[in-house]
Amino acid sequence: MSSPQKDLVAAFDDGDQKVFFSLWEEHIPSSVRDGDSFAQKLEFYLHIHFAIYLLKHSVGRPDSWTPELKLKLEKFLALIFKASNTPKLLTIYKENGQSNKEMLQQLHQQLVEAERRSMTYLKRYNKIQADYHNLIGVTAELVDSLEATVSGKMITPEYLQSVCVRLFSNQMRQSLAHSVDFTRPGTASTMLRASLAPVKLKDVPLLPSLDYEKLKKDLILGSDRLKAFLLQALRWRLTTSHPGEQRETVLQAYISNDLLDCHSHNQRSVLQLLHSKSDVVRQYMARLINAFASLAEGRLYLAQNTKVLRMLEGRLKEEDKDIITRENVLGALQKFSLRRPLQTAMIQDGLIFWLVDALKDPDCLSDYTLEYSVALLMNLCLRSAGKNMCAKVAGLVLKVLSDLLGHENHEIQPYVNGALYSILSVPSIREEARAMGMEDILRCFIKEGNAEMIRQIEFIIKQLNSEELPDGVLESDDDEDEDDEEDHDIMEADLDKDELIQPQLGELSGEKLLTTEYLGIMTNTGKTRRKGLANVQWSGDEPLQRPVTPGGHRNGYPV
């Protein structure tokens, strides 16, 4: 260990903040301090360490957080001071010479798709930015006009007309400019509100019926390539269908024909594709199940028994090759956690322990995996059985959640806060949290957070300092039959990202494959959806206390 390394570690051990950060700024390059997310996160936790150093040593109790922070610091310093001069890309190239060509082709394809998506998003961003600038300009003019009216200057109908026309879309501007009488009171505001009303969609035709017997036969006995194309086409039918009758009819056809063989007792079934030897088939089966789970009726179909749940739990723990397969399995399980019977089963199966272990190193997880893992953990922690599971490993759970509070992915904050607030209702967990200085850690985040985050953390601190004992309601909630699920239908765009297969010349795929090779007798009929619970609005002031799914804020298909 070099001398600067030793000095930094010694200053860390001694709690000498001034010496430590003097050495830190001298020896850690500014490009690393300002541009590396891990370095910034580590520096943030180091400030917390020095802030509560005296408090921890005055109490004299063992601390499970500091040794791990020190280990992270030592690893980071070792990388900084002993980094190899060989570029990482060159090392990878030398180690994987034979597979480079395939990898480059795959990366090129992903790059093309990413560029196409980025152009779409850029156009949307430019449109939103233009609308925003227009809105700010109009707002400024209206404020000036209001100030003028105070001094007695009147607003003319012509001026009001010019302002309103600027607020409407291009298609409406010319017709409004000549057809609307802006001298009538209330006309302008009525037209503005009407322009925001959702446009009524034209009648959307139902998609052709399919021969599900032939489809299921080929899904079980066909080649792996055919299976993959069929799973992809069936998923696209769900994800790209119009919300409303068209999508509901597609889903009802899948369910009434038991497309996934959820009710089958045969040894060979469509569900078994989740354990296929083919990575592509396995991934595409997971994507299709996740698409089903994105719709309330789909979850009801998959949740008739625990067979699908057990298969997904097994796949989640075994899948170590394909990140997207694991993401979709996790996504389906998280959506399952909106249903109380499945929450109970997941808690009994020890899924909380798996999630806590996975979240110990969040920087190794994709954004999707991180968000859905934390949201699933929160949903399970809302149940008293889940809190009792957390109490068995209270120190580890609290450490993982407190680390996640400072993660750069801010989408997870409501779920982290909700999980913390929930488990701190257990006295033994509160005691453990106080011993590790949780209140000091939370107050550090109050200084950094936005108003909503601050209010939620204040609720958590209040829970941490309460002396209430759990009452009978907490202990009996696992016996209730009522389902917590709200009527969540969210089809996120991630379901169709990074497709692995592309049709070759003359090869059929998507809807063309289904309607050419598997056209059935027209039996599609719409079905009235079951009426779910009314969506409960969350104010954002308090931590979440109902099961939710992250799909709502991701780039989703309209539902």
Side-chain angles (χ1 to χ4, degrees):
M1 186 181 289
S2 64
S3 180
Q5 279 178 268
K6 290 180 181 178
D7 294 341
L8 279 161
V9 173
F12 176 90
D13 290 333
D14 296 339
D16 195 332
Q17 183 175 4
K18 186 176 180 181
V19 171
F20 181 90
F21 283 107
S22 174
L23 291 167
W24 180 267
E25 291 177 6
E26 180 182 351
H27 296 287
I28 307 300
S30 59
S31 59
V32 175
R33 298 199 311 269
D34 298 333
D36 184 83
S37 60
F38 180 83
Q40 291 172 336
K41 183 178 176 183
L42 179 62
E43 185 171 346
F44 178 75
Y45 282 114
L46 287 168
H47 278 288
I48 293 178
H49 163 73
F50 288 112
I52 63 175
Y53 180 84
L54 291 176
L55 176 65
K56 288 188 298 183
H57 282 71
S58 64
V59 173
R61 299 188 65 167
D63 173 26
S64 61
W65 180 68
T66 304
E68 294 207 21
L69 180 62
K70 181 178 179 180
L71 185 61
K72 286 183 180 179
L73 173 65
E74 289 173 341
K75 287 182 179 178
F76 175 76
L77 294 176
L79 285 172
I80 291 296
F81 289 104
K82 295 185 180 180
S84 169
N85 292 325
T86 307
K88 190 174 182 181
L89 283 176
L90 181 59
T91 305
I92 294 173
Y93 183 84
K94 289 179 179 179
E95 291 175 353
N96 303 281
Q98 295 181 348
S99 61
N100 277 330
K101 190 174 181 181
E102 294 178 7
M103 184 177 71
L104 286 173
Q105 288 176 343
Q106 188 177 359
L107 288 172
H108 177 70
Q109 183 180 342
Q110 291 177 1
L111 178 62
V112 171
E113 291 182 7
E115 287 175 346
R116 178 180 57 79
R117 288 199 301 271
S118 67
M119 288 303 296
T120 303
Y121 295 144
L122 183 61
K123 289 177 183 176
R124 292 179 186 173
Y125 168 75
N126 289 336
K127 172 69 168 60
I128 292 171
Q129 190 178 47
D131 289 343
Y132 172 74
H133 288 161
N134 180 43
L135 186 60
I136 291 297
V138 171
T139 304
E141 287 187 24
L142 290 174
V143 170
D144 290 340
S145 301
L146 284 172
E147 290 177 347
T149 59
V150 174
S151 59
K153 186 176 180 181
M154 299 295 291
I155 296 176
T156 65
E158 291 76 19
Y159 171 74
L160 186 60
Q161 179 179 358
S162 69
V163 169
C164 290
V165 166
R166 286 168 60 192
L167 289 173
F168 289 117
S169 62
N170 290 329
Q171 295 91 334
M172 299 178 65
R173 284 179 186 172
Q174 290 185 345
S175 60
L176 285 173
H178 304 291
S179 62
V180 179
D181 181 8
F182 285 93
T183 60
R184 291 170 55 196
T187 301
S189 60
T190 301
M191 293 301 298
L192 280 171
R193 292 188 181 96
S195 72
L196 296 174
V199 180
K200 187 176 181 180
L201 295 173
K202 297 178 181 178
D203 289 337
V204 179
L206 300 182
L207 295 173
S209 294
L210 303 176
D211 184 344
Y212 287 95
E213 188 176 340
K214 183 182 178 185
L215 259 172
K216 290 165 72 173
K217 182 180 177 183
D218 284 356
L219 280 170
I220 294 171
L221 302 176
S223 66
D224 284 341
R225 188 164 179 82
L226 175 60
K227 291 176 184 177
F229 274 120
L230 286 176
L231 291 169
Q232 182 189 60
L234 290 165
R235 164 168 46 92
W236 284 352
R237 259 209 168 199
L238 270 182
T239 59
T240 62
S241 57
H242 287 271
E245 188 178 10
Q246 190 185 69
R247 178 172 287 163
E248 289 167 16
T249 306
V250 170
L251 182 60
Q252 288 305 323
Y254 287 0
I255 293 172
S256 61
N257 289 281
D258 194 17
L259 176 63
L260 301 184
D261 282 336
C262 289
H263 304 297
S264 171
H265 298 290
N266 296 333
Q267 192 169 4
R268 301 188 72 174
S269 68
V270 176
L271 268 180
Q272 294 300 323
L273 296 180
L274 200 57
H275 298 305
S276 169
K277 292 181 180 178
S278 164
D279 292 348
V280 180
V281 172
R282 209 165 56 244
Q283 181 189 121
Y284 276 32
M285 184 61 187
R287 288 183 190 236
L288 181 58
I289 291 175
N290 194 11
F292 266 85
S294 300
L295 303 171
E297 288 288 341
R299 288 192 291 277
L300 188 61
Y301 164 64
L302 295 171
Q304 294 300 313
N305 56 58
T306 56
K307 177 168 67 173
V308 181
L309 174 66
R310 301 285 189 255
M311 291 183 73
L312 288 171
E313 287 178 334
R315 185 78 264 142
L316 181 68
K317 294 168 184 175
E318 294 167 14
E319 187 61 57
D320 53 3
K321 290 184 180 179
D322 194 303
I323 293 174
I324 294 181
T325 302
R326 193 163 162 179
E327 282 184 355
N328 280 276
V329 168
L330 182 63
L333 286 170
Q334 200 285 325
K335 292 159 192 170
F336 277 17
S337 71
L338 295 172
R339 305 192 63 83
R340 289 180 71 84
L342 297 179
Q343 290 173 4
T344 301
M346 284 188 265
I347 293 168
Q348 290 173 349
D349 294 344
L351 195 58
I352 285 177
F353 301 137
W354 185 92
L355 289 167
V356 171
D357 188 64
L359 290 168
K360 284 195 293 189
D361 195 0
D363 294 329
C364 294
L365 305 177
S366 67
D367 284 343
Y368 188 99
T369 301
L370 178 60
E371 290 172 29
Y372 277 79
S373 295
V374 180
L376 174 55
L377 178 61
M378 186 203 78
N379 286 358
L380 300 183
C381 286
L382 295 175
R383 302 288 300 280
S384 62
K387 298 171 192 175
N388 292 335
M389 284 287 185
C390 290
K392 296 178 181 179
V393 286
L396 178 59
V397 175
L398 289 167
K399 183 192 177 303
V400 166
L401 290 174
S402 61
D403 283 349
L404 290 172
L405 281 170
H407 198 274
E408 61 188 5
N409 185 340
H410 299 298
E411 302 291 353
I412 68 173
Q413 286 181 352
Y415 315 126
V416 176
N417 293 345
L420 267 176
Y421 182 82
S422 181
I423 65 174
L424 286 173
S425 65
V426 179
S428 62
I429 298 180
R430 284 203 300 267
E431 185 179 349
E432 183 76 27
R434 292 166 186 164
M436 64 182 285
M438 177 64 77
E439 183 172 351
D440 294 310
I441 295 172
L442 289 169
R443 292 201 179 279
C444 287
F445 288 107
I446 285 182
K447 298 174 184 176
E448 302 289 330
N450 56 34
E452 186 178 295
M453 176 80 165
I454 290 170
R455 285 193 296 271
Q456 290 183 28
I457 289 182
E458 285 171 347
F459 271 99
I460 297 171
I461 292 174
K462 186 177 179 182
Q463 180 84 301
L464 174 65
N465 292 324
S466 72
E467 298 296 337
E468 293 181 6
L469 296 173
D471 55 26
V473 175
L474 274 175
E475 296 307 315
S476 64
D477 71 348
D478 292 327
D479 300 326
E480 295 175 9
D481 294 327
E482 183 185 349
D483 209 326
D484 270 345
E485 179 172 2
E486 297 172 16
D487 202 10
H488 286 175
D489 277 1
I490 295 169
M491 198 75 80
E492 65 265 64
D494 300 79
L495 290 164
D496 293 332
K497 73 177 183 181
D498 301 330
E499 297 286 356
L500 289 177
I501 54 172
Q502 301 291 337
Q504 296 174 354
L505 189 63
E507 206 171 19
L508 297 175
S509 67
E511 192 64 19
K512 195 166 185 180
L513 169 63
L514 295 179
T515 54
T516 303
E517 300 293 338
Y518 300 93
L519 196 61
I521 301 172
M522 180 57 77
T523 55
N524 280 341
T525 55
K527 179 184 174 184
T528 305
R529 291 182 58 188
R530 69 188 180 94
K531 190 173 182 181
L533 296 175
N535 281 339
V536 177
Q537 295 297 318
W538 173 54
S539 69
D541 289 347
E542 299 183 28
L544 285 163
Q545 296 173 55
R546 288 184 63 84
V548 295
T549 191
H553 70 258
R554 302 187 72 82
N555 293 325
Y557 296 104
V559 176

